Amino acid sequence: MIGYYAHHHGSGHVTRAASIAAELEEPMTVLSSRPRSSEHAHLDWLTLPLDVDTTTMGDRASDLDPTASGVVHWAPIGVRGLTERMAMIAEWVARTRPRLVVVDVSVEIALFVRLLGVPVVTVAMPGDRTDEPHQLVYRIATAIIAPWSNNVYDPASLHAFSAKTIYVGSISRFAGRTRHPATTTGPNVFVLGGAGGTSLTKKDIDEAAELNSEYTWTAAGLDAQTWVDDVWPHLCAASVVITHAGQNALADVASAAVPAVIVPQDRPYGEQDATADALARAGVAVVAPSWPSPDRWRTLLADAVRLGSSGWPRVEASGAAYRAARLLSETAAV
């Protein structure tokens, strides 16, 4: 038995867990405050309470010492959901005795599980993770999964832990999926949002499309109205994909091998900015630091078409989930 804690923000952590579970030869239980969807009904699931309490947070958040004087990121005092989720995890560990637990991602869960006497494999995140809590969790981890290619991105925050860090490549739910035949004719742009939130609006897309009408523009994942369960056909059919720099979105674009313009979203620790910068330096995709004015898109799209898709193999999406699963099996066997 292997446990996998998947953070509830966005769908990326759960999607990554499911991709790795499909490559494992032993059972895996997902622990998450994100409700299990029908897509993941086949996975064993422990639904955890949220670690927030809207009745006590608000203006009193600073009084609850959420960082425990800077040692962790989120452990507020007196929040019942936090207490209950930790109790549930402790009970689950005592009952199932997992061989290891993957933590994707939470400093607090990683520390707690390790203090329960269970080996922890933590999933690294891009950006500046040199702060004390991140460095602490890297120190206590038995192994670290970096879900990107070391040839593209080599963050300084992991250098001290190189002996136990495995760069498995970008993990995509679409890895190995047969390329979907194009159903559109003529040049087209596909804008890919995500469940983790985006600052883009339909108005942004419409204004860009109006001034760049030589392309047909479509978008998915901007809001509930534009949500698409399966974006694979859209990715395969696109002349150019415009996406944020979230790890799962980029891995999916890499699997489709489509020219791309990356527009990083504002995230803690400069996560998406760091990822986008690395892809630009490696010549994988065109990057715009923020959503451009409509008149800038003609040049950016032309640059993306000129660059093409030949750089995507550098992110090593093919076989990434298998490599992560193999790391877990080997670590659990020690």
Side-chain angles (χ1 to χ4, degrees):
M1 165 64 70
I2 288 176
Y4 196 112
Y5 174 82
H7 199 281
H8 55 272
H9 182 69
S11 61
H13 303 286
V14 167
T15 299
R16 183 155 52 210
S19 297
I20 295 173
E23 299 291 344
L24 278 172
E25 295 181 354
E26 63 186 289
M28 188 178 88
T29 297
V30 175
L31 298 84
S32 182
S33 294
R34 189 173 182 85
R36 177 169 50 180
S37 66
S38 58
E39 180 185 2
H40 301 129
H42 63 288
L43 293 173
D44 188 24
W45 202 280
L46 180 65
T47 302
L48 302 172
L50 287 169
D51 52 359
V52 296
D53 184 350
T54 56
T55 64
T56 59
M57 300 309 291
D59 295 336
R60 292 188 55 237
S62 60
D63 298 334
L64 306 182
D65 189 18
T67 68
S69 299
V71 176
V72 296
H73 291 141
W74 188 250
I77 292 171
V79 174
R80 175 170 292 187
L82 176 63
T83 303
E84 290 177 350
R85 73 188 342 239
M86 292 304 195
M88 288 178 65
I89 291 171
E91 189 279 332
W92 176 81
V93 167
R95 174 168 45 86
T96 65
R97 298 190 177 275
R99 297 206 296 160
L100 64 80
V101 172
V102 185
V103 180
D104 181 8
V105 287
S106 166
V107 170
E108 300 74 37
I109 298 297
L111 292 172
F112 185 67
V113 170
R114 181 62 186 86
L115 289 171
L116 291 174
V118 179
V120 167
V121 174
T122 192
V123 178
M125 297 288 283
D128 182 6
R129 310 285 172 165
T130 55
D131 59 288
E132 181 179 342
H134 277 111
Q135 292 295 290
L136 174 60
V137 80
Y138 292 159
R139 287 203 301 273
I140 64 98
T142 300
I144 300 169
I145 292 175
W148 58 79
S149 166
N150 187 227
N151 294 322
V152 171
Y153 182 46
D154 183 24
S157 57
L158 289 175
H159 287 178
F161 312 101
S162 59
K164 58 180 177 181
T165 300
I166 306 299
Y167 295 84
V168 300
S170 296
I171 300 173
S172 170
R173 55 186 162 160
F174 298 134
R177 183 169 171 177
T178 302
R179 188 173 180 84
H180 200 282
T183 57
T184 59
T185 59
N188 67 95
V189 171
F190 179 56
V191 183
L192 178 64
T198 178
S199 60
L200 289 182
T201 65
K202 185 177 182 299
K203 183 173 181 288
D204 293 322
I205 310 303
D206 290 344
E207 290 176 348
E210 184 178 359
L211 209 59
N212 299 275
S213 58
E214 65 272 29
Y215 289 89
T216 300
W217 291 63
T218 56
L222 303 184
D223 50 31
Q225 286 69 42
T226 59
W227 184 259
V228 174
D229 287 332
D230 185 9
V231 300
W232 181 246
H234 298 276
L235 291 173
C236 293
S239 303
V240 179
V241 172
I242 300 169
T243 184
H244 55 87
Q247 294 178 74
N248 284 267
L250 293 174
D252 291 348
V253 176
S255 291
V258 186
V261 178
I262 311 300
V263 185
Q265 296 279 299
D266 185 21
R267 292 292 185 270
Y269 307 98
E271 173 188 329
Q272 293 202 12
D273 291 319
T275 302
D277 288 347
L279 291 171
R281 289 195 303 271
V284 173
V286 172
V287 170
S290 59
W291 187 259
S293 58
D295 61 298
R296 282 276 295 132
W297 276 112
R298 182 167 281 104
T299 298
L300 288 168
L301 294 172
D303 288 345
V305 170
R306 190 178 307 112
L307 180 61
S309 58
S310 61
W312 281 117
R314 296 197 63 189
V315 308
E316 300 178 2
S318 178
Y322 169 77
R323 288 188 288 273
R326 185 178 62 185
L327 168 65
L328 299 185
S329 297
E330 292 173 351
T331 303
V334 175

